[in-house]
Amino acid sequence: MSDASIPPSLNEVADLKAQVKLLERQLKRQKIARANAEWFLESYSSDAYSATQALRKALHESKKRERELIFLNRSASHLKTSDSGASFIFSAIESAVEFSDAFCGLAFITKAGKVVQGDDNKIWQVENGWVEANDFAKVMLDELPLSVTEDYSQWCVNIVERPDNHEEAYVLHFMQNLGNGEQAWLALLTKNSELDEEMLYVLDANKHYLQFGIGYRSSKHEIKHHKAALSSMEKDQRYLQEKLITADKMAMLGQLAAGIAHEINNPIGYVRSNTSVAGDIFKDYQSALSEIKILCEDAGGEIEARYLALENTYSLKESAEAISEMFEESSEGIERIIDIVKALRGFSYPSGGKRVAINVAEAINSALRITNNLHKYKNKVIFTPPETDIEVLGNAGQIQQVLVNLLTNAIYATDEGKCIKFVVESVEGEAVITLQDEGKGMTEEVIGKMFTPFFTTKPPGDGTGLGMSISLTIIEEHGGQFEVASEIDRGTTITVRLPLA
């Protein structure tokens, strides 16, 4: 009889089955490792793109802030060094043209509607200085109401057509009384139809330099008053500069947090993968241990007795149950870390302006995770998600930023042991998010200022005063609104209304 007709032994069959099972495990590990590698690559690419975009945005904003500070510093310097109101006016228009990146500027002084100082045919350009340009001067002059005698409260904006290329542009103009029936006129002609609202805000802030500087020189008996005002403005300027620096630091801190989240993301992925595979392997060991027990019981005698002795000595059953619970707890802990990392990344990178359907309950839970370390030992935060999903259309990162700001302020204002409550409802086509705290409450004066940039009730160093201002801007951009009700020593209720998706 040939060797080929001899059937394999039981040991050979068992060895082959063990090898097949080992190969299946190795294949499973390789599949999981490949899936994780693909996930890591996709996550890294997304984070790298988001980080680049955030860095570019931060750099752009930093350059804008630098221009604003240079402009305000230069205006303050002109205010101190100019010999007369007229020289201050002409210096101011030169700085304004350079700061606003306007095409040209025009400045002169009138009395009874007629030019008494300056040339209404000359414009100032960054490249050429003061040059004669009748066409451009006329475009700006036609928009100036020279018969007006009351001071402008802010820069005015008119739409015009440029005489050189016949494209739409803007004329920005401002008037300030000099006293003795004289008025100072300043006008800017933009390069195109694009207008930066933040630039207008800084120009409006700069009008105070004009008002104080002109008044200082036209009224000698008010010199002391205006020196005090100038000192106050310099103090405000230093304060603004400190706040801008703080804002830049906060932006960099957000990028740093996102980088840390990414660095955590990679090793936790390995831990997650290995824990999952180890858990599956341990389940196989448990099955094998159960089969061994059955075999020993079937064999009986000394073999069963030795098995029972070993089981009692090493507590095999209890140890297996404990290890199984450890794997489950470890998996839960890993998933929680991953949720926190996702929430931190979403908070650091506001999705580049992309509008998506946002589940409000999930956004609130994400905000609770981010602020968990602030409230878990201090306050009881109550939130029961609605039975049906409530969604709004918007930028997920920005909405989460608003919720984190509101929750952080509530935690700060609420004493230890007191409650904070989130409620979400769908009312007449709107998602209504209500945050109630049992905190100190606010006066009507504080409520009136709470959305003002840089206003804060926190001690120096504890807050920038930008959170509620930014939150208001975000909610208004999403077509929503804030409602605030507060009572001293009773708490505050803030309601956010947003259109449903």
Side-chain angles (χ1 to χ4, degrees), residues 71 96 99-100 155 172 188 198-208:
F71 175 56
F99 161 71
S100 63
W155 284 75
L172 314 179
L188 301 171
E198 189 172 352
M199 180 265 292
L200 279 177
Y201 176 82
V202 176
L203 285 175
D204 281 335
N206 186 58
K207 73 178 184 294
H208 296 296

Side-chain angles (χ1 to χ4, degrees), residues 85-325:
S87 64
F88 177 62
I89 293 298
F90 297 126
S91 298
I93 197 64
E94 293 172 5
S95 298
V97 171
E98 186 173 353
F99 161 71
S100 63
D101 196 28
F103 177 76
C104 64
L106 179 69
F108 54 87
I109 298 172
T110 62
K111 188 171 185 177
K114 295 183 179 180
V115 177
V116 294
Q117 283 195 53
D119 189 339
D120 57 3
N121 287 323
K122 283 189 175 181
I123 62 172
W124 194 87
Q125 296 177 303
V126 175
E127 301 85 1
N128 304 317
W130 288 100
V131 294
E132 191 163 329
N134 295 336
D135 291 341
F136 290 102
K138 186 176 185 305
V139 167
M140 289 185 279
L141 279 170
D142 289 344
E143 301 302 318
L144 303 183
L146 298 182
S147 59
V148 171
T149 57
E150 292 185 7
D151 293 342
Y152 281 22
S153 60
Q154 60 187 13
W155 284 75
C156 296
V157 182
N158 292 22
I159 301 176
V160 297
E161 181 179 287
R162 282 183 49 169
D164 55 342
N165 57 20
H166 302 291
E167 292 182 356
E168 187 176 274
Y170 291 101
V171 169
L172 314 179
H173 53 97
F174 181 81
M175 188 275 283
Q176 174 66 39
N177 274 297
L178 302 178
N180 300 321
E182 294 183 344
Q183 293 85 34
W185 292 89
L186 294 86
L188 301 171
L189 177 64
T190 64
K191 293 179 179 178
N192 49 45
S193 59
E194 295 180 3
L195 193 60
D196 187 349
E197 291 186 8
E198 189 172 352
M199 180 265 292
L200 279 177
Y201 176 82
V202 176
L203 285 175
D204 281 335
N206 186 58
K207 73 178 184 294
H208 296 296
Y209 289 96
L210 294 172
Q211 293 168 343
F212 284 124
I214 293 166
Y216 174 81
R217 289 166 178 81
S218 62
S219 304
K220 288 185 178 181
H221 66 278
E222 295 181 353
I223 287 179
K224 185 179 290 187
H225 167 74
H226 290 299
K227 280 186 176 179
L230 177 60
S231 175
S232 175
M233 289 187 65
E234 289 176 339
K235 183 179 178 180
D236 290 343
Q237 179 185 334
R238 288 194 297 271
Y239 179 74
L240 175 63
Q241 189 170 5
E242 289 173 1
K243 291 300 182 183
L244 290 173
I245 292 171
T246 301
D248 285 340
K249 286 182 179 178
M250 292 301 291
M252 295 304 296
L253 184 60
Q255 295 177 36
L256 178 62
I260 293 173
H262 174 70
E263 292 302 320
I264 294 173
N265 210 28
N266 287 336
I268 204 65
Y270 294 116
V271 175
R272 182 192 199 187
S273 172
N274 292 339
T275 302
S276 175
V277 174
D280 291 342
I281 293 173
F282 183 71
K283 288 178 182 178
D284 293 341
Y285 277 111
Q286 281 184 296
S287 299
L289 189 62
S290 298
E291 291 178 8
I292 291 171
K293 181 180 180 180
I294 293 170
L295 289 173
C296 291
E297 289 175 347
D298 291 343
E302 184 180 353
I303 293 176
E304 182 180 11
R306 290 186 65 184
Y307 174 82
L308 292 173
L310 289 172
E311 185 178 43
N312 291 331
T313 302
Y314 296 105
S315 303
L316 296 179
K317 183 178 180 181
E318 291 78 5
S319 297
E321 291 175 353
I323 293 172
S324 181
E325 289 179 2

